[in-house]
Amino acid sequence: MTLTEQPAHNGVDVETLFATIDAVKANPQIAAFRFRADNQWLSGTNSRTTIYTFYGAMQELTHVEPRSYDADHPAVLTGKDRGSTPVEFLLHALAACLTAGLANIAAARGVRLTEVTSTVEGDIDLMGLLGLDPAVRNGYQGIRVSFRLRGDDPDALRRAFDQSVARSAVLDVLSNGVPVAIDVDAG
Amino acid sequence: MTLTEQPAHNGVDVETLFATIDAVKANPQIAAFRFRADNQWLSGTNSRTTIYTFYGAMQELTHVEPRSYDADHPAVLTGKDRGSTPVEFLLHALAACLTAGLANIAAARGVRLTEVTSTVEGDIDLMGLLGLDPAVRNGYQGIRVSFRLRGDDPDALRRAFDQSVARSAVLDVLSNGVPVAIDVDAG
């Protein structure tokens, strides 16, 4: 790789990306991943999640370090504001997933990105989760995503973005839902 | 409030919680909230989200401080592992939402919590998002939530937890999906 080629890769290791795709084609078991989060209640609406281990490529793996994230409610929602709210982390996940996908796809296509920023907003009516109106859902009623992309080829950027939208794991889950099984041990 | 009463409140300001519910009953416009996340691409699959402002109680509000979260892919998924993956943040959001709801509901009912821990796992088959098998979805195929609750009254704890499940904003979104509108400015 030369320095003049590098910018088009957007910081993405394209050789590894293609090697990963080839490896999965050869052995689909490599593609079975399991991600985890461990949470501990601290006080009030404040809890802390640690993310470290995951399963993939037919083995238990770890991130380079354990990472912890506090979540809480702001004062207006009876919390101490010791972290972002759980529903805000959903918006973060969506922005980050679409951005990572775009960077990978643009790199694979040799499309150079110079700037990607986004804002994600979600509307929620607390009449639902407070149990005050059974016609109102608990969660977001709608989410709006706004992306600004800059690079050498606006049309190619837009097509790469459309492909990221078509392949986003987080967008799929938020748009279509996923079965959630819940087990509780109360003692 | 006396010291002997405090433990049953689980660190939750119950008076404010009930005052909030009464205020919303009196003026439902207070219940319209809008949360936001601003994301900036850094390099490769690494991006950074900042969460600070939100709208609620009929005004623009801010958290006590801006908070930033990096997301990235691990090396095995062609990233530099400079943050947790977007799909892991979904698991964090779910654990934190159910835990915050439980703490509030238990406090409102005078049920004392001494320990709440949870693990959330999600299974994903990369054949979908890599575009290698059109029959496989991009996102999680299933999520499993496992909670351990300890306190003075296991039955009451379990009922409070069931109510948190019934009222969780994040569980609703992940289980049922939400309309997502996407706008892109490519230049």
Side-chain angles (χ1 to χ4, degrees):
Chain A
M1 185 193 302
T2 68
L3 281 174
T4 51
E5 284 172 329
Q6 204 166 20
H9 290 166
N10 305 319
V12 173
D13 181 347
V14 175
E15 285 181 27
T16 301
L17 177 59
F18 285 128
T20 300
I21 292 171
D22 287 342
V24 169
K25 277 182 189 167
N27 183 359
Q29 284 186 293
I30 292 174
F33 274 65
R34 176 171 294 173
F35 292 103
R36 305 188 179 101
D38 293 308
N39 182 278
Q40 181 171 23
W41 173 61
L42 298 177
S43 178
T45 49
N46 181 205
S47 70
R48 183 170 297 156
T49 293
T50 301
I51 294 172
Y52 185 39
T53 70
F54 61 102
Y55 177 88
M58 304 195 294
Q59 59 197 303
E60 280 293 322
L61 294 166
T62 62
H63 286 285
V64 295
E65 60 186 356
R67 296 188 178 96
S68 292
Y69 307 97
D70 269 34
D72 199 357
H73 290 187
V76 70
L77 295 173
T78 76
K80 305 286 191 202
D81 207 338
R82 290 176 179 145
S84 301
T85 64
V87 289
E88 288 168 320
F89 281 105
L90 294 181
L91 307 181
H92 161 49
L94 181 55
C97 190
L98 289 170
T99 299
L102 168 63
N104 269 343
I105 292 160
R109 295 179 178 183
V111 178
R112 194 169 78 98
L113 293 169
T114 55
E115 180 191 334
V116 182
T117 57
S118 60
T119 297
V120 183
E121 290 189 331
D123 293 321
I124 190 165
D125 182 344
L126 301 190
M127 297 292 281
L129 65 86
L130 290 174
L132 297 176
D133 185 345
V136 176
R137 69 180 297 178
N138 298 323
Y140 284 127
Q141 298 179 303
I143 291 175
R144 286 175 306 288
V145 176
S146 179
F147 264 80
R148 176 188 158 90
L149 317 179
R150 291 295 179 269
D152 289 345
D153 184 338
D155 287 344
L157 279 183
R158 179 181 294 271
R159 288 193 298 273
F161 182 77
D162 289 346
Q163 183 64 12
S164 177
V165 167
R167 287 292 169 213
S168 167
V170 172
L171 180 62
D172 172 22
V173 167
L174 294 186
S175 297
N176 302 312
V178 56
V180 180
I182 300 176
D183 176 64
V184 56
D185 162 21
Chain B
M1 185 193 301
T2 68
L3 281 174
T4 52
E5 283 171 329
Q6 204 167 19
H9 289 166
N10 305 320
V12 172
D13 181 347
V14 175
E15 284 180 28
T16 300
L17 177 59
F18 285 129
T20 300
I21 292 172
D22 287 342
V24 170
K25 278 182 188 166
N27 183 358
Q29 284 187 292
I30 292 175
F33 274 65
R34 176 170 295 174
F35 291 102
R36 302 185 183 103
D38 293 308
N39 182 279
Q40 181 171 22
W41 173 61
L42 298 178
S43 178
T45 49
N46 180 206
S47 70
R48 183 169 297 156
T49 292
T50 301
I51 294 171
Y52 185 39
T53 69
F54 61 102
Y55 177 88
M58 304 194 295
Q59 59 196 303
E60 280 293 322
L61 295 166
T62 63
H63 286 285
V64 295
E65 58 186 356
R67 296 187 178 96
S68 292
Y69 307 97
D70 269 34
D72 200 357
H73 289 188
V76 70
L77 295 173
T78 75
K80 304 286 191 201
D81 208 338
R82 291 177 177 144
S84 301
T85 63
V87 290
E88 287 169 321
F89 281 105
L90 294 180
L91 308 181
H92 161 50
L94 180 55
C97 189
L98 290 170
T99 299
L102 168 63
N104 269 343
I105 292 161
R109 296 178 179 185
V111 178
R112 194 168 78 97
L113 293 169
T114 55
E115 180 190 335
V116 182
T117 57
S118 59
T119 296
V120 183
E121 290 188 333
D123 293 321
I124 190 165
D125 182 343
L126 301 190
M127 297 291 281
L129 66 84
L130 289 175
L132 297 176
D133 185 345
V136 175
R137 69 181 296 178
N138 298 322
Y140 284 127
Q141 299 178 304
I143 291 175
R144 287 175 307 286
V145 176
S146 180
F147 264 80
R148 176 186 157 91
L149 317 179
R150 291 296 180 268
D152 289 345
D153 184 338
D155 287 344
L157 279 183
R158 180 182 292 270
R159 287 193 298 273
F161 182 76
D162 288 347
Q163 183 64 13
S164 177
V165 167
R167 287 292 169 215
S168 167
V170 172
L171 180 62
D172 172 22
V173 167
L174 294 186
S175 296
N176 302 313
V178 57
V180 178
I182 299 176
D183 177 64
V184 58
D185 163 21

